[in-house]
């Protein structure tokens, strides 16, 4: 039994593609911003606005597709294999935590809380990638700085995502039948 019409499937595919494009453009714009902080590798995570919005509004499969597209394209445009490794481990760690929070306690966690935990998990994933690449655990001395960075960027991403979700809900096109969450998540 099909849950969605071909038109709905096409619309979801187009929206996810647009989200991925916006996430990549935000990543490129972010790379041009001189974000001078004491913690190497710390970024605002502007592309994660689209990821959190997608995870909140669409299905888990859609959000995972978006993460893979965003990470592959951004790494291809801006980086190298090590950039991809850092990005994918951070993105998957963030995705897993945010998904679990929405799945297990959608009504228990605020969007800001989910975003902050996603920011922290992203930084832990990247730190783990650095430990693998550098073959040392000494890199974890950055952990306290990255926790603070994850909280700050998570708050920013959560606030902007909340505004985007509220704006999307006012647009008729997004009020048409889209995959709906049942019982606290998918």
């Amino acid at each position: 039994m099909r849950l969605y019409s071909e038109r709905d499937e096409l619309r979801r595919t187009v929206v996810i593609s647009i989200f991925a494009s916006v996430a990549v453009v935000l990543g490129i714009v972010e790379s041009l911003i001189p974000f001078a902080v004491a913690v190497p590798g710390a970024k605002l995570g502007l592309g994660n606005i689209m990821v959190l919005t997608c995870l909140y509004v669409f299905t888990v499969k859609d959000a995972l597709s978006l993460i893979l597209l965003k990470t592959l394209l951004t790494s291809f445009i801006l980086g190298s294999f090590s950039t991809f490794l850092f990005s994918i481990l951070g993105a998957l760690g963030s995705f897993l935590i945010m998904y679990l929070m929405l799945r297990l306690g959608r009504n228990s966690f605020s969007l800001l809380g989910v975003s902050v935990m996603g920011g922290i998990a992203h930084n832990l994933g990247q730190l783990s990638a650095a430990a693998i690449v550098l073959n040392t655990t000494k890199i974890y001395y950055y952990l306290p700085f990255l926790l603070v960075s994850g909280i700050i960027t998570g708050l920013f991403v959560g606030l902007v995502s909340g505004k985007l979700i509220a704006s999307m809900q006012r647009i008729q096109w997004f009020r048409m039948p889209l995959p709906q969450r049942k019982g606290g998540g998918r």
Side-chain angles (χ1 to χ4, degrees):
M1 181 171 106
R2 291 191 73 149
L3 295 176
Y4 307 106
S5 69
E6 287 182 24
R7 180 180 174 203
D8 291 337
E9 290 293 333
L10 178 60
R11 187 181 70 212
R12 277 187 35 240
T13 301
V14 168
V15 171
I16 299 308
S17 299
I18 291 169
F19 272 36
S21 300
V22 171
V24 169
V25 168
L26 288 171
I28 292 169
V29 168
E30 182 176 7
S31 73
L32 300 173
I33 298 171
F35 189 64
V37 295
V39 183
K43 301 185 309 182
L44 288 172
L46 298 177
N48 295 325
I49 294 165
M50 303 312 296
V51 171
L52 180 58
T53 300
C54 185
L55 185 59
Y56 196 81
V57 174
F58 296 105
T59 67
V60 169
K61 180 182 171 187
D62 294 334
L64 193 54
S65 297
L66 171 63
I67 288 169
L68 293 174
L69 276 170
K70 169 189 160 300
T71 305
L72 281 170
L73 290 172
T74 305
S75 296
F76 180 72
I77 293 168
L78 297 174
S80 61
F81 178 74
S82 62
T83 303
F84 173 75
L85 180 64
F86 282 65
S87 296
I88 198 69
L89 285 179
L92 291 176
S94 176
F95 168 78
L96 181 62
I97 292 299
M98 292 189 304
Y99 167 70
L100 288 173
M101 289 178 76
L102 288 172
R103 173 87 176 151
L104 300 174
R106 184 173 184 84
N107 298 324
S108 301
F109 302 109
S110 69
L111 185 63
L112 283 178
V114 171
S115 182
V116 166
M117 291 304 295
I120 290 170
H122 193 278
N123 288 343
L124 287 172
Q126 288 192 325
L127 199 58
S128 297
I132 292 167
V133 168
L134 299 173
N135 198 27
T136 181
T137 58
K138 292 179 182 178
I139 193 76
Y140 284 101
Y141 75 89
Y142 274 126
L143 185 58
F145 303 107
L146 289 176
L147 290 175
V148 171
S149 171
I151 291 168
I152 292 169
T153 59
L155 287 170
F156 174 76
V157 167
L159 287 170
V160 176
S161 295
K163 298 284 186 193
L164 179 57
I165 291 166
S167 294
M168 287 173 58
Q169 291 172 345
R170 290 192 300 268
I171 299 172
Q172 178 65 34
W173 198 69
F174 287 103
R175 283 190 245 152
M176 293 165 55
L178 289 172
Q180 298 297 313
R181 295 181 183 272
K182 295 179 183 175
R186 291 170 250 195

